[in-house]
DNA sequence: AACCCGGGGCA
DNA sequence: TGCCCAGGGTT
């Protein structure tokens, strides 16, 4: 297939990002060559919606305690949820534990390298399957997270921020940009994510440090539109999510059953909300009743 | 497609 | 204090 000028320009920009990443990549434990596929998988689950700086210490503890899927699968789910600590979205901890069980039951305790097989595991969606295939096994895949979407959106399409949801067209464009060789594809995946995380940030991009500055359509057109862009803030104070988090924090700290509805630390929460949140945590399988008569609960 | 789910740290 | 973030699962 002949290379059109547009493709050549794409490839040049991709190469710029790869070269930048080779200089600027952070030294993270799950990027080291001695990190197992399991270590990569654990990091990817933890990094879903949680920044690197908060993940790293928890990841180290987790890998020291459960260095293989079989180790985690043999643990109690409650211990996994407790070890998750304050990373947030504790359902991820439950799913990671379920993933370890599935790896033992379906795959002999090994992390599969096939993207579709990964996709079938608990807690692994399109992004994580592509990321594990690339970073754990060096395979060519389309790694498309919010950082990559922002980089492509700005540099190629002149958009200040990506749309709320991925479109088929956006994914197709991202797929076109992935280099042919697996090595370059992996470097592009990691580099474009890193660029989005460190330079091409959502709120205050550091365009002066960007390897794509001379190619970026958004910068060429004035780098405007951030102020007018709609925010995607999720409410927090007083929400069910905050109440659920407070209940989980109490149960993580306790190693004996806890009376939630009569707990002094939760007195400021309206009883109806407290009860419904506790019920939702039980429904999610994160919390279980140790003594329903007395209202005692554990992880 | 819409909705729900944590939490910390920094501008 | 406002705001941002390496998504996935359910309905």
């Amino acid at each position: 297939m002949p290379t059109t000028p547009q493709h050549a320009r794409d490839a040049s920009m991709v190469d710029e990002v790869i070269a930048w990443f080779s200089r600027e990549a952070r030294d993270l434990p799950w990027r080291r060559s001695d990190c197992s596929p399991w270590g990569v998988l654990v990091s990817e689950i933890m990094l879903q919606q949680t920044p690197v700086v908060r993940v790293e210490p928890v990841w180290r503890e987790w890998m020291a305690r459960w260095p293989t899927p079989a180790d985690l699968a043999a643990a109690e789910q409650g211990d996994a949820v407790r070890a998750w600590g304050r990373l947030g979205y504790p359902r991820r901890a439950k799913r990671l534990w379920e993933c370890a069980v599935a790896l033992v039951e379906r795959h002999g305790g090994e992390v599969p390298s096939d993207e579709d097989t990964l996709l079938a595991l608990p807690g692994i969606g399109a992004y994580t399957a592509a990321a594990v295939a690339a970073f754990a096994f060096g395979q060519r895949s389309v790694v498309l997270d919010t950082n990559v979407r922002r980089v492509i959106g700005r540099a190629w399409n002149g958009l200040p921020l990506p749309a709320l949801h991925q479109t088929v067209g956006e994914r197709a464009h991202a797929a076109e940009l992935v280099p042919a060789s697996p090595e370059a594809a992996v470097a592009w995946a990691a580099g474009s994510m890193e660029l989005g995380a460190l330079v091409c940030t959502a709120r205050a991009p550091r365009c002066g440090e960007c390897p794509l500055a001379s190619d970026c359509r958004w910068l060429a057109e004035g780098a405007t539109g951030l102020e007018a862009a709609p925010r995607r803030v999720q409410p927090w104070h007083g929400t069910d999510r905050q109440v659920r988090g407070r209940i989980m924090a109490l149960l993580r700290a306790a190693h004996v059953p806890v009376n939630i509805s009569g707990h002094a630390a939760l007195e400021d929460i309206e009883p109806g909300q407290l009860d419904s949140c506790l019920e939702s945590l039980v429904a999610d399988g994160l919390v279980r009743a140790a003594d329903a008569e007395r209202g005692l609960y554990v992880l």
Side-chain angles (χ1 to χ4, degrees), chain A residues 69-103:
Chain A
D71 294 318
L72 181 59
E76 297 289 329
Q77 179 196 300
D79 287 333
V81 172
R82 184 172 281 110
W84 194 256
R86 308 182 72 85
L87 284 184
Y89 295 121
R91 292 192 290 199
R92 291 183 295 163
K94 179 175 188 285
R95 291 180 190 139
L96 180 51
W97 179 82
E98 291 170 339
C99 182
V101 172
L103 290 175

PDB file of all heavy atoms in Angstrom, chain A residues 69-103:
ATOM      1  N   PRO A  69      -1.533 -14.525  40.428  1.00  0.00           N
ATOM      2  CA  PRO A  69      -2.999 -14.638  40.499  1.00  0.00           C
ATOM      3  C   PRO A  69      -3.438 -15.681  41.515  1.00  0.00           C
ATOM      4  O   PRO A  69      -4.429 -15.478  42.229  1.00  0.00           O
ATOM      5  CB  PRO A  69      -3.383 -15.036  39.076  1.00  0.00           C
ATOM      6  CG  PRO A  69      -2.312 -14.459  38.225  1.00  0.00           C
ATOM      7  CD  PRO A  69      -1.050 -14.578  39.042  1.00  0.00           C
ATOM      8  N   ALA A  70      -2.712 -16.792  41.593  1.00  0.00           N
ATOM      9  CA  ALA A  70      -3.103 -17.854  42.527  1.00  0.00           C
ATOM     10  C   ALA A  70      -3.030 -17.363  43.971  1.00  0.00           C
ATOM     11  O   ALA A  70      -3.851 -17.754  44.802  1.00  0.00           O
ATOM     12  CB  ALA A  70      -2.198 -19.073  42.339  1.00  0.00           C
ATOM     13  N   ASP A  71      -2.056 -16.518  44.260  1.00  0.00           N
ATOM     14  CA  ASP A  71      -1.941 -15.982  45.624  1.00  0.00           C
ATOM     15  C   ASP A  71      -3.163 -15.146  45.983  1.00  0.00           C
ATOM     16  O   ASP A  71      -3.706 -15.269  47.079  1.00  0.00           O
ATOM     17  CB  ASP A  71      -0.677 -15.123  45.750  1.00  0.00           C
ATOM     18  CG  ASP A  71       0.589 -15.943  45.591  1.00  0.00           C
ATOM     19  OD1 ASP A  71       0.642 -17.061  46.140  1.00  0.00           O
ATOM     20  OD2 ASP A  71       1.513 -15.471  44.902  1.00  0.00           O
ATOM     21  N   LEU A  72      -3.585 -14.295  45.066  1.00  0.00           N
ATOM     22  CA  LEU A  72      -4.762 -13.466  45.353  1.00  0.00           C
ATOM     23  C   LEU A  72      -6.031 -14.315  45.386  1.00  0.00           C
ATOM     24  O   LEU A  72      -6.910 -14.103  46.235  1.00  0.00           O
ATOM     25  CB  LEU A  72      -4.897 -12.356  44.314  1.00  0.00           C
ATOM     26  CG  LEU A  72      -6.083 -11.407  44.537  1.00  0.00           C
ATOM     27  CD1 LEU A  72      -5.995 -10.714  45.898  1.00  0.00           C
ATOM     28  CD2 LEU A  72      -6.167 -10.362  43.424  1.00  0.00           C
ATOM     29  N   ALA A  73      -6.112 -15.268  44.475  1.00  0.00           N
ATOM     30  CA  ALA A  73      -7.307 -16.116  44.422  1.00  0.00           C
ATOM     31  C   ALA A  73      -7.487 -16.896  45.715  1.00  0.00           C
ATOM     32  O   ALA A  73      -8.613 -17.216  46.108  1.00  0.00           O
ATOM     33  CB  ALA A  73      -7.212 -17.072  43.232  1.00  0.00           C
ATOM     34  N   ALA A  74      -6.375 -17.192  46.386  1.00  0.00           N
ATOM     35  CA  ALA A  74      -6.445 -17.958  47.634  1.00  0.00           C
ATOM     36  C   ALA A  74      -6.787 -17.074  48.824  1.00  0.00           C
ATOM     37  O   ALA A  74      -7.073 -17.587  49.905  1.00  0.00           O
ATOM     38  CB  ALA A  74      -5.113 -18.672  47.877  1.00  0.00           C
ATOM     39  N   ALA A  75      -6.731 -15.778  48.626  1.00  0.00           N
ATOM     40  CA  ALA A  75      -7.027 -14.855  49.729  1.00  0.00           C
ATOM     41  C   ALA A  75      -8.528 -14.665  49.882  1.00  0.00           C
ATOM     42  O   ALA A  75      -9.310 -15.039  49.006  1.00  0.00           O
ATOM     43  CB  ALA A  75      -6.348 -13.514  49.475  1.00  0.00           C
ATOM     44  N   GLU A  76      -8.924 -14.075  51.009  1.00  0.00           N
ATOM     45  CA  GLU A  76     -10.321 -13.688  51.195  1.00  0.00           C
ATOM     46  C   GLU A  76     -10.607 -12.426  50.393  1.00  0.00           C
ATOM     47  O   GLU A  76      -9.767 -11.520  50.356  1.00  0.00           O
ATOM     48  CB  GLU A  76     -10.601 -13.413  52.681  1.00  0.00           C
ATOM     49  CG  GLU A  76     -10.431 -14.618  53.584  1.00  0.00           C
ATOM     50  CD  GLU A  76     -11.541 -15.637  53.362  1.00  0.00           C
ATOM     51  OE1 GLU A  76     -12.673 -15.227  53.012  1.00  0.00           O
ATOM     52  OE2 GLU A  76     -11.264 -16.844  53.518  1.00  0.00           O
ATOM     53  N   GLN A  77     -11.791 -12.367  49.797  1.00  0.00           N
ATOM     54  CA  GLN A  77     -12.167 -11.148  49.072  1.00  0.00           C
ATOM     55  C   GLN A  77     -12.082  -9.920  49.981  1.00  0.00           C
ATOM     56  O   GLN A  77     -11.615  -8.856  49.567  1.00  0.00           O
ATOM     57  CB  GLN A  77     -13.581 -11.277  48.523  1.00  0.00           C
ATOM     58  CG  GLN A  77     -14.035 -10.020  47.781  1.00  0.00           C
ATOM     59  CD  GLN A  77     -15.541  -9.978  47.568  1.00  0.00           C
ATOM     60  OE1 GLN A  77     -16.107 -10.836  46.939  1.00  0.00           O
ATOM     61  NE2 GLN A  77     -16.177  -8.945  48.100  1.00  0.00           N
ATOM     62  N   GLY A  78     -12.504 -10.080  51.223  1.00  0.00           N
ATOM     63  CA  GLY A  78     -12.479  -8.948  52.148  1.00  0.00           C
ATOM     64  C   GLY A  78     -11.073  -8.417  52.379  1.00  0.00           C
ATOM     65  O   GLY A  78     -10.882  -7.207  52.547  1.00  0.00           O
ATOM     66  N   ASP A  79     -10.081  -9.297  52.373  1.00  0.00           N
ATOM     67  CA  ASP A  79      -8.705  -8.835  52.551  1.00  0.00           C
ATOM     68  C   ASP A  79      -8.232  -8.053  51.329  1.00  0.00           C
ATOM     69  O   ASP A  79      -7.459  -7.095  51.451  1.00  0.00           O
ATOM     70  CB  ASP A  79      -7.785 -10.026  52.811  1.00  0.00           C
ATOM     71  CG  ASP A  79      -7.983 -10.588  54.217  1.00  0.00           C
ATOM     72  OD1 ASP A  79      -8.390  -9.816  55.101  1.00  0.00           O
ATOM     73  OD2 ASP A  79      -7.749 -11.792  54.418  1.00  0.00           O
ATOM     74  N   ALA A  80      -8.693  -8.476  50.154  1.00  0.00           N
ATOM     75  CA  ALA A  80      -8.345  -7.734  48.940  1.00  0.00           C
ATOM     76  C   ALA A  80      -8.969  -6.339  48.978  1.00  0.00           C
ATOM     77  O   ALA A  80      -8.312  -5.336  48.668  1.00  0.00           O
ATOM     78  CB  ALA A  80      -8.809  -8.492  47.704  1.00  0.00           C
ATOM     79  N   VAL A  81     -10.221  -6.272  49.378  1.00  0.00           N
ATOM     80  CA  VAL A  81     -10.894  -4.976  49.460  1.00  0.00           C
ATOM     81  C   VAL A  81     -10.217  -4.095  50.516  1.00  0.00           C
ATOM     82  O   VAL A  81     -10.046  -2.890  50.319  1.00  0.00           O
ATOM     83  CB  VAL A  81     -12.391  -5.168  49.773  1.00  0.00           C
ATOM     84  CG1 VAL A  81     -13.064  -3.829  50.065  1.00  0.00           C
ATOM     85  CG2 VAL A  81     -13.087  -5.872  48.616  1.00  0.00           C
ATOM     86  N   ARG A  82      -9.794  -4.699  51.602  1.00  0.00           N
ATOM     87  CA  ARG A  82      -9.109  -3.923  52.650  1.00  0.00           C
ATOM     88  C   ARG A  82      -7.766  -3.408  52.149  1.00  0.00           C
ATOM     89  O   ARG A  82      -7.414  -2.257  52.369  1.00  0.00           O
ATOM     90  CB  ARG A  82      -8.929  -4.792  53.893  1.00  0.00           C
ATOM     91  CG  ARG A  82      -8.322  -4.050  55.064  1.00  0.00           C
ATOM     92  CD  ARG A  82      -8.335  -4.886  56.339  1.00  0.00           C
ATOM     93  NE  ARG A  82      -9.652  -4.899  56.975  1.00  0.00           N
ATOM     94  CZ  ARG A  82     -10.457  -5.953  57.040  1.00  0.00           C
ATOM     95  NH1 ARG A  82     -10.086  -7.105  56.506  1.00  0.00           N
ATOM     96  NH2 ARG A  82     -11.621  -5.873  57.630  1.00  0.00           N
ATOM     97  N   ALA A  83      -7.038  -4.265  51.442  1.00  0.00           N
ATOM     98  CA  ALA A  83      -5.721  -3.864  50.934  1.00  0.00           C
ATOM     99  C   ALA A  83      -5.834  -2.781  49.853  1.00  0.00           C
ATOM    100  O   ALA A  83      -4.873  -2.068  49.580  1.00  0.00           O
ATOM    101  CB  ALA A  83      -4.983  -5.080  50.375  1.00  0.00           C
ATOM    102  N   TRP A  84      -7.002  -2.702  49.246  1.00  0.00           N
ATOM    103  CA  TRP A  84      -7.238  -1.666  48.236  1.00  0.00           C
ATOM    104  C   TRP A  84      -7.110  -0.285  48.861  1.00  0.00           C
ATOM    105  O   TRP A  84      -6.759   0.693  48.178  1.00  0.00           O
ATOM    106  CB  TRP A  84      -8.630  -1.852  47.639  1.00  0.00           C
ATOM    107  CG  TRP A  84      -8.917  -1.118  46.392  1.00  0.00           C
ATOM    108  CD1 TRP A  84      -9.679   0.016  46.286  1.00  0.00           C
ATOM    109  CD2 TRP A  84      -8.485  -1.440  45.068  1.00  0.00           C
ATOM    110  NE1 TRP A  84      -9.755   0.408  44.975  1.00  0.00           N
ATOM    111  CE2 TRP A  84      -9.025  -0.474  44.201  1.00  0.00           C
ATOM    112  CE3 TRP A  84      -7.686  -2.468  44.539  1.00  0.00           C
ATOM    113  CZ2 TRP A  84      -8.795  -0.498  42.842  1.00  0.00           C
ATOM    114  CZ3 TRP A  84      -7.455  -2.487  43.176  1.00  0.00           C
ATOM    115  CH2 TRP A  84      -7.999  -1.509  42.347  1.00  0.00           C
ATOM    116  N   GLY A  85      -7.412  -0.222  50.153  1.00  0.00           N
ATOM    117  CA  GLY A  85      -7.260   1.048  50.857  1.00  0.00           C
ATOM    118  C   GLY A  85      -8.164   2.122  50.310  1.00  0.00           C
ATOM    119  O   GLY A  85      -9.333   1.887  50.027  1.00  0.00           O
ATOM    120  N   ARG A  86      -7.614   3.294  50.133  1.00  0.00           N
ATOM    121  CA  ARG A  86      -8.399   4.447  49.723  1.00  0.00           C
ATOM    122  C   ARG A  86      -8.204   4.788  48.254  1.00  0.00           C
ATOM    123  O   ARG A  86      -8.287   5.963  47.873  1.00  0.00           O
ATOM    124  CB  ARG A  86      -8.026   5.651  50.586  1.00  0.00           C
ATOM    125  CG  ARG A  86      -8.096   5.365  52.093  1.00  0.00           C
ATOM    126  CD  ARG A  86      -7.773   6.582  52.925  1.00  0.00           C
ATOM    127  NE  ARG A  86      -8.834   7.572  52.882  1.00  0.00           N
ATOM    128  CZ  ARG A  86      -9.912   7.560  53.669  1.00  0.00           C
ATOM    129  NH1 ARG A  86     -10.050   6.613  54.561  1.00  0.00           N
ATOM    130  NH2 ARG A  86     -10.823   8.491  53.573  1.00  0.00           N
ATOM    131  N   LEU A  87      -7.956   3.786  47.431  1.00  0.00           N
ATOM    132  CA  LEU A  87      -7.788   4.052  46.000  1.00  0.00           C
ATOM    133  C   LEU A  87      -9.098   4.497  45.347  1.00  0.00           C
ATOM    134  O   LEU A  87      -9.092   5.105  44.283  1.00  0.00           O
ATOM    135  CB  LEU A  87      -7.266   2.810  45.278  1.00  0.00           C
ATOM    136  CG  LEU A  87      -5.792   2.488  45.449  1.00  0.00           C
ATOM    137  CD1 LEU A  87      -5.417   1.293  44.603  1.00  0.00           C
ATOM    138  CD2 LEU A  87      -4.932   3.688  45.086  1.00  0.00           C
ATOM    139  N   GLY A  88     -10.209   4.164  45.987  1.00  0.00           N
ATOM    140  CA  GLY A  88     -11.488   4.547  45.407  1.00  0.00           C
ATOM    141  C   GLY A  88     -12.084   3.467  44.523  1.00  0.00           C
ATOM    142  O   GLY A  88     -11.403   2.547  44.084  1.00  0.00           O
ATOM    143  N   TYR A  89     -13.384   3.592  44.265  1.00  0.00           N
ATOM    144  CA  TYR A  89     -14.099   2.588  43.481  1.00  0.00           C
ATOM    145  C   TYR A  89     -13.735   1.174  43.933  1.00  0.00           C
ATOM    146  O   TYR A  89     -13.117   0.402  43.178  1.00  0.00           O
ATOM    147  CB  TYR A  89     -13.817   2.747  41.984  1.00  0.00           C
ATOM    148  CG  TYR A  89     -14.317   4.034  41.388  1.00  0.00           C
ATOM    149  CD1 TYR A  89     -13.451   4.914  40.772  1.00  0.00           C
ATOM    150  CD2 TYR A  89     -15.672   4.358  41.456  1.00  0.00           C
ATOM    151  CE1 TYR A  89     -13.915   6.106  40.221  1.00  0.00           C
ATOM    152  CE2 TYR A  89     -16.137   5.539  40.906  1.00  0.00           C
ATOM    153  CZ  TYR A  89     -15.254   6.410  40.294  1.00  0.00           C
ATOM    154  OH  TYR A  89     -15.707   7.567  39.753  1.00  0.00           O
ATOM    155  N   PRO A  90     -14.105   0.812  45.172  1.00  0.00           N
ATOM    156  CA  PRO A  90     -13.697  -0.493  45.706  1.00  0.00           C
ATOM    157  C   PRO A  90     -14.248  -1.680  44.928  1.00  0.00           C
ATOM    158  O   PRO A  90     -13.756  -2.803  45.085  1.00  0.00           O
ATOM    159  CB  PRO A  90     -14.237  -0.460  47.139  1.00  0.00           C
ATOM    160  CG  PRO A  90     -15.340   0.552  47.128  1.00  0.00           C
ATOM    161  CD  PRO A  90     -14.913   1.584  46.124  1.00  0.00           C
ATOM    162  N   ARG A  91     -15.240  -1.461  44.081  1.00  0.00           N
ATOM    163  CA  ARG A  91     -15.696  -2.579  43.251  1.00  0.00           C
ATOM    164  C   ARG A  91     -14.568  -3.082  42.361  1.00  0.00           C
ATOM    165  O   ARG A  91     -14.559  -4.247  41.955  1.00  0.00           O
ATOM    166  CB  ARG A  91     -16.904  -2.158  42.398  1.00  0.00           C
ATOM    167  CG  ARG A  91     -18.147  -1.896  43.247  1.00  0.00           C
ATOM    168  CD  ARG A  91     -19.396  -1.774  42.421  1.00  0.00           C
ATOM    169  NE  ARG A  91     -19.406  -0.540  41.637  1.00  0.00           N
ATOM    170  CZ  ARG A  91     -20.497  -0.008  41.110  1.00  0.00           C
ATOM    171  NH1 ARG A  91     -21.665  -0.599  41.298  1.00  0.00           N
ATOM    172  NH2 ARG A  91     -20.440   1.096  40.413  1.00  0.00           N
ATOM    173  N   ARG A  92     -13.605  -2.198  42.076  1.00  0.00           N
ATOM    174  CA  ARG A  92     -12.453  -2.639  41.292  1.00  0.00           C
ATOM    175  C   ARG A  92     -11.658  -3.706  42.049  1.00  0.00           C
ATOM    176  O   ARG A  92     -11.112  -4.631  41.440  1.00  0.00           O
ATOM    177  CB  ARG A  92     -11.542  -1.461  40.967  1.00  0.00           C
ATOM    178  CG  ARG A  92     -12.134  -0.471  39.983  1.00  0.00           C
ATOM    179  CD  ARG A  92     -11.133   0.617  39.659  1.00  0.00           C
ATOM    180  NE  ARG A  92     -10.824   1.448  40.819  1.00  0.00           N
ATOM    181  CZ  ARG A  92      -9.762   2.251  40.900  1.00  0.00           C
ATOM    182  NH1 ARG A  92      -8.910   2.311  39.923  1.00  0.00           N
ATOM    183  NH2 ARG A  92      -9.575   2.976  41.980  1.00  0.00           N
ATOM    184  N   ALA A  93     -11.560  -3.542  43.379  1.00  0.00           N
ATOM    185  CA  ALA A  93     -10.825  -4.527  44.181  1.00  0.00           C
ATOM    186  C   ALA A  93     -11.526  -5.875  44.128  1.00  0.00           C
ATOM    187  O   ALA A  93     -10.880  -6.926  43.998  1.00  0.00           O
ATOM    188  CB  ALA A  93     -10.709  -4.037  45.626  1.00  0.00           C
ATOM    189  N   LYS A  94     -12.847  -5.834  44.232  1.00  0.00           N
ATOM    190  CA  LYS A  94     -13.614  -7.079  44.160  1.00  0.00           C
ATOM    191  C   LYS A  94     -13.431  -7.725  42.793  1.00  0.00           C
ATOM    192  O   LYS A  94     -13.218  -8.936  42.690  1.00  0.00           O
ATOM    193  CB  LYS A  94     -15.092  -6.777  44.418  1.00  0.00           C
ATOM    194  CG  LYS A  94     -16.010  -7.980  44.349  1.00  0.00           C
ATOM    195  CD  LYS A  94     -17.432  -7.586  44.749  1.00  0.00           C
ATOM    196  CE  LYS A  94     -18.347  -8.800  44.873  1.00  0.00           C
ATOM    197  NZ  LYS A  94     -18.737  -9.346  43.561  1.00  0.00           N
ATOM    198  N   ARG A  95     -13.501  -6.913  41.750  1.00  0.00           N
ATOM    199  CA  ARG A  95     -13.352  -7.469  40.400  1.00  0.00           C
ATOM    200  C   ARG A  95     -11.949  -8.017  40.167  1.00  0.00           C
ATOM    201  O   ARG A  95     -11.778  -9.022  39.475  1.00  0.00           O
ATOM    202  CB  ARG A  95     -13.673  -6.404  39.351  1.00  0.00           C
ATOM    203  CG  ARG A  95     -15.145  -6.034  39.313  1.00  0.00           C
ATOM    204  CD  ARG A  95     -15.407  -4.982  38.264  1.00  0.00           C
ATOM    205  NE  ARG A  95     -16.757  -4.446  38.382  1.00  0.00           N
ATOM    206  CZ  ARG A  95     -17.073  -3.167  38.252  1.00  0.00           C
ATOM    207  NH1 ARG A  95     -16.128  -2.275  38.003  1.00  0.00           N
ATOM    208  NH2 ARG A  95     -18.315  -2.769  38.373  1.00  0.00           N
ATOM    209  N   LEU A  96     -10.950  -7.353  40.735  1.00  0.00           N
ATOM    210  CA  LEU A  96      -9.580  -7.848  40.568  1.00  0.00           C
ATOM    211  C   LEU A  96      -9.430  -9.197  41.268  1.00  0.00           C
ATOM    212  O   LEU A  96      -8.779 -10.109  40.742  1.00  0.00           O
ATOM    213  CB  LEU A  96      -8.592  -6.823  41.123  1.00  0.00           C
ATOM    214  CG  LEU A  96      -7.104  -7.169  41.035  1.00  0.00           C
ATOM    215  CD1 LEU A  96      -6.714  -7.600  39.626  1.00  0.00           C
ATOM    216  CD2 LEU A  96      -6.258  -5.978  41.480  1.00  0.00           C
ATOM    217  N   TRP A  97     -10.029  -9.307  42.435  1.00  0.00           N
ATOM    218  CA  TRP A  97     -10.014 -10.602  43.132  1.00  0.00           C
ATOM    219  C   TRP A  97     -10.748 -11.655  42.298  1.00  0.00           C
ATOM    220  O   TRP A  97     -10.253 -12.773  42.122  1.00  0.00           O
ATOM    221  CB  TRP A  97     -10.662 -10.446  44.515  1.00  0.00           C
ATOM    222  CG  TRP A  97     -10.724 -11.721  45.287  1.00  0.00           C
ATOM    223  CD1 TRP A  97      -9.717 -12.289  46.032  1.00  0.00           C
ATOM    224  CD2 TRP A  97     -11.853 -12.609  45.384  1.00  0.00           C
ATOM    225  NE1 TRP A  97     -10.157 -13.475  46.583  1.00  0.00           N
ATOM    226  CE2 TRP A  97     -11.461 -13.702  46.206  1.00  0.00           C
ATOM    227  CE3 TRP A  97     -13.142 -12.579  44.855  1.00  0.00           C
ATOM    228  CZ2 TRP A  97     -12.329 -14.750  46.506  1.00  0.00           C
ATOM    229  CZ3 TRP A  97     -14.008 -13.621  45.163  1.00  0.00           C
ATOM    230  CH2 TRP A  97     -13.598 -14.700  45.979  1.00  0.00           C
ATOM    231  N   GLU A  98     -11.906 -11.282  41.755  1.00  0.00           N
ATOM    232  CA  GLU A  98     -12.657 -12.209  40.899  1.00  0.00           C
ATOM    233  C   GLU A  98     -11.852 -12.558  39.641  1.00  0.00           C
ATOM    234  O   GLU A  98     -11.920 -13.685  39.139  1.00  0.00           O
ATOM    235  CB  GLU A  98     -13.999 -11.594  40.501  1.00  0.00           C
ATOM    236  CG  GLU A  98     -14.969 -11.468  41.664  1.00  0.00           C
ATOM    237  CD  GLU A  98     -16.200 -10.637  41.321  1.00  0.00           C
ATOM    238  OE1 GLU A  98     -16.147  -9.833  40.363  1.00  0.00           O
ATOM    239  OE2 GLU A  98     -17.207 -10.769  42.038  1.00  0.00           O
ATOM    240  N   CYS A  99     -11.119 -11.600  39.159  1.00  0.00           N
ATOM    241  CA  CYS A  99     -10.270 -11.830  37.984  1.00  0.00           C
ATOM    242  C   CYS A  99      -9.204 -12.873  38.313  1.00  0.00           C
ATOM    243  O   CYS A  99      -8.936 -13.779  37.518  1.00  0.00           O
ATOM    244  CB  CYS A  99      -9.626 -10.514  37.540  1.00  0.00           C
ATOM    245  SG  CYS A  99      -8.615 -10.663  36.062  1.00  0.00           S
ATOM    246  N   ALA A 100      -8.596 -12.753  39.492  1.00  0.00           N
ATOM    247  CA  ALA A 100      -7.584 -13.725  39.907  1.00  0.00           C
ATOM    248  C   ALA A 100      -8.187 -15.124  39.991  1.00  0.00           C
ATOM    249  O   ALA A 100      -7.572 -16.110  39.545  1.00  0.00           O
ATOM    250  CB  ALA A 100      -6.984 -13.317  41.252  1.00  0.00           C
ATOM    251  N   VAL A 101      -9.388 -15.224  40.546  1.00  0.00           N
ATOM    252  CA  VAL A 101     -10.069 -16.520  40.629  1.00  0.00           C
ATOM    253  C   VAL A 101     -10.306 -17.068  39.220  1.00  0.00           C
ATOM    254  O   VAL A 101     -10.061 -18.248  38.946  1.00  0.00           O
ATOM    255  CB  VAL A 101     -11.399 -16.373  41.400  1.00  0.00           C
ATOM    256  CG1 VAL A 101     -12.199 -17.661  41.317  1.00  0.00           C
ATOM    257  CG2 VAL A 101     -11.132 -15.993  42.861  1.00  0.00           C
ATOM    258  N   ALA A 102     -10.763 -16.206  38.327  1.00  0.00           N
ATOM    259  CA  ALA A 102     -11.025 -16.640  36.954  1.00  0.00           C
ATOM    260  C   ALA A 102      -9.737 -17.073  36.254  1.00  0.00           C
ATOM    261  O   ALA A 102      -9.741 -18.032  35.473  1.00  0.00           O
ATOM    262  CB  ALA A 102     -11.700 -15.509  36.171  1.00  0.00           C
ATOM    263  N   LEU A 103      -8.643 -16.387  36.530  1.00  0.00           N
ATOM    264  CA  LEU A 103      -7.370 -16.770  35.914  1.00  0.00           C
ATOM    265  C   LEU A 103      -6.961 -18.173  36.353  1.00  0.00           C
ATOM    266  O   LEU A 103      -6.447 -18.962  35.556  1.00  0.00           O
ATOM    267  CB  LEU A 103      -6.281 -15.756  36.277  1.00  0.00           C
ATOM    268  CG  LEU A 103      -6.422 -14.378  35.650  1.00  0.00           C
ATOM    269  CD1 LEU A 103      -5.356 -13.427  36.173  1.00  0.00           C
ATOM    270  CD2 LEU A 103      -6.342 -14.475  34.127  1.00  0.00           C
TER     271      LEU A 103
END
